[in-house]
Each structure stands twice: as structure tokens, then as C-alpha cells.
């Protein structure tokens, strides 16, 4: 009679694809990055119910049917960072903006750049919940210099911001005549290249080693 076999849930066709697995891992990473640990646990349970084994220590995942990969995120490279040829990190969810009008207030900058997607909220105690925007200031006057970084929730939003805002004026039409934005993915030094992990001014040039 045989009668046992065949019970493996329809064979390979029912196994989730690598893209589906990576999608849930990305959701879990985002939940961990925003300290939403309940959601992160739910996503972990989802992955385990899909048959995915997670190794948080080695930051890898495997499946019984031969798929495996690394879990990038929620750690040193929490934003999909990439190490570039010169050793700096490409900060994949963060844009570096030049050409900001020095008189533009931060809430107006947040509103303007938030039109295409959610800006990440700060988790630091002194400005918790505020948009993650850093405006560079003149050392002597303390006034904004017209450049800064803006971090989005999603790396795809940061990439879209480059196309959307580069070469455009800041703000509503006519509000800041002559402004012309230049937008790129932000860079920062890889922490292990600098003893203290602070790394100075990434991407500004003039480093002396």
C-alpha cells in the first residue's frame, strides 16, 4: 500500500522563493531598526514557519531546500550600507544635499524632502521622534552652511530623491530664488578605519593618512 510519501506540502513548488524570504528579512530588519521588537518577533515567526532557519549571531539564514544568504541590517550596516572602493561606507538610506538655502528652517526641509517618502525618525533621547536630518554648520558663526544629510526609512526612497530633487530649486516655487539642489547618496567613513569609530567628516575630502 505505500500510502505515505507525497505529504511534503507539494514539493519544491510550495517553498518560498529567495525574494520572498529576503522581503520578510527586510521587514524584520526595519522593525528592529525602529525598536519595534514585537513586529520583529512576528517576522521571525513568519520566517520560521516558512522553513527558514535564522542565525542572528553569524547574521545568516538557511533553508532545508538549499537556499541561504546573509542578513544585512540591524547592526553595523543597518541601512543596506555598501563599502566603497576607498573604504568609506555608502549610506544607502541617506542623501547628502547641497544647495539648501541657509535660511530654510529644519521643519520646512523635512516637509519638502518628506513629500516623496517617510523620513526616518530619530531614536536619540534628546530629539526622539524628530526627522533624522543633520545640517552642517559653519564652525565660526554656527549658521547652516547649506548642506546636510537626510535619512529615509527606505533605501529606495533615498535613491528616488536623487532623481526627484537634483537640479531643482528648494521649496515652493519662487520662495528661495536661485536655489539649486545637488543630491547624492551620503557617505561616511567605515568605523573600523578610525580608532574611535567616529570617523570625522566622511566624503568631504582632504583626509590625511
Amino acid at each position: 500500500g505505500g500510502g505515505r510519501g507525497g505529504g511534503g506540502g507539494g514539493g519544491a513548488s510550495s517553498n518560498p522563493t529567495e525574494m520572498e524570504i529576503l522581503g520578510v528579512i527586510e521587514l524584520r530588519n526595519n522593525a528592529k531598526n525602529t525598536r519595534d521588537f514585537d513586529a520583529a518577533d512576528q517576522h521571525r515567526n513568519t520566517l520560521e514557519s516558512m522553513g527558514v532557519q535564522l542565525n542572528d549571531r553569524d547574521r545568516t539564514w538557511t533553508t532545508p531546500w538549499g537556499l541561504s544568504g546573509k542578513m544585512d541590517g540591524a547592526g553595523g550596516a543597518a541601512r543596506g550600507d555598501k563599502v566603497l572602493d576607498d573604504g568609506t561606507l555608502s549610506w544607502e538610506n541617506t542623501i547628502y544635499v547641497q544647495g539648501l538655502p541657509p535660511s530654510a528652517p529644519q521643519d520646512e526641509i523635512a516637509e519638502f524632502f518628506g513629500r516623496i517618502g517617510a523620513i526616518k525618525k530619530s531614536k536619540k533621547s534628546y530629539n526622539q521622534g524628530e526627522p533624522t536630518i543633520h545640517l552642517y554648520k559653519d564652525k565660526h558663526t554656527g549658521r547652516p552652511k547649506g548642506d546636510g544629510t537626510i535619512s529615509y526609512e527606505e533605501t529606495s526612497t533615498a535613491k528616488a530623491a536623487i532623481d526627484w530633487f537634483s537640479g531643482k530649486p528648494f521649496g515652493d516655487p519662487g520662495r528661495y530664488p536661485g536655489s539649486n539642489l545637488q543630491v547624492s547618496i551620503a557617505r561616511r567613513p567605515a568605523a573600523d578605519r578610525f580608532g574611535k569609530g567616529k570617523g570625522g567628516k566622511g566624503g568631504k575630502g582632504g583626509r590625511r593618512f
Side-chain angles (χ1 to χ4, degrees):
R4 292 223 343 218
S13 64
S14 68
N15 290 334
T17 65
E18 185 172 6
M19 287 299 290
E20 289 169 332
I21 294 168
L22 289 173
V24 181
I25 288 173
E26 175 87 359
L27 290 171
R28 180 172 179 248
N29 287 341
N30 288 341
K32 287 170 77 172
N33 290 339
T34 56
R35 298 283 190 268
D36 187 349
F37 295 116
D38 289 341
D41 285 344
Q42 286 173 6
H43 294 313
R44 183 188 180 94
N45 292 341
T46 300
L47 287 161
E48 289 177 346
S49 70
M50 291 161 77
V52 180
Q53 286 112 36
L54 302 177
N55 184 329
D56 277 323
R57 196 185 64 199
D58 295 338
R59 308 214 46 72
T60 57
W61 59 270
T62 55
T63 68
W65 57 92
L67 289 178
S68 63
K70 286 189 78 65
M71 290 190 288
D72 294 320
R79 312 155 196 87
D81 299 344
K82 291 191 188 124
V83 180
L84 304 177
D85 291 342
D86 64 359
T88 59
L89 284 174
S90 171
W91 206 348
E92 295 290 294
N93 76 327
T94 300
I95 54 173
Y96 173 62
V97 184
Q98 296 169 280
L100 289 166
S103 60
Q106 184 161 317
D107 57 355
E108 188 176 342
I109 293 170
E111 191 276 328
F112 182 73
F113 284 95
R115 291 174 186 178
I116 65 163
I119 293 176
K120 201 173 175 70
K121 298 282 197 295
S122 175
K123 297 193 290 281
K124 295 191 170 76
S125 57
Y126 62 85
N127 64 346
Q128 194 163 13
E130 291 182 16
T132 305
I133 295 173
H134 178 76
L135 301 178
Y136 292 106
K137 295 189 174 161
D138 185 283
K139 271 193 301 213
H140 303 295
T141 66
R143 286 174 51 75
K145 289 163 48 181
D147 65 338
T149 59
I150 299 163
S151 297
Y152 286 101
E153 289 284 355
E154 303 291 340
T155 58
S156 57
T157 312
K159 291 184 176 67
I162 295 172
D163 296 331
W164 189 262
F165 294 116
S166 280
K168 306 262 176 69
F170 174 77
D172 294 323
R175 181 158 164 72
Y176 294 98
S179 67
N180 182 32
L181 298 171
Q182 295 168 278
V183 185
S184 58
I185 291 292
R187 290 184 179 197
R188 59 199 178 110
D192 59 3
R193 299 182 71 229
F194 296 85
K196 300 190 176 69
K198 290 265 200 235
K201 281 223 160 157
K204 290 281 194 175
R207 291 200 212 90
R208 291 183 292 280
F209 291 113

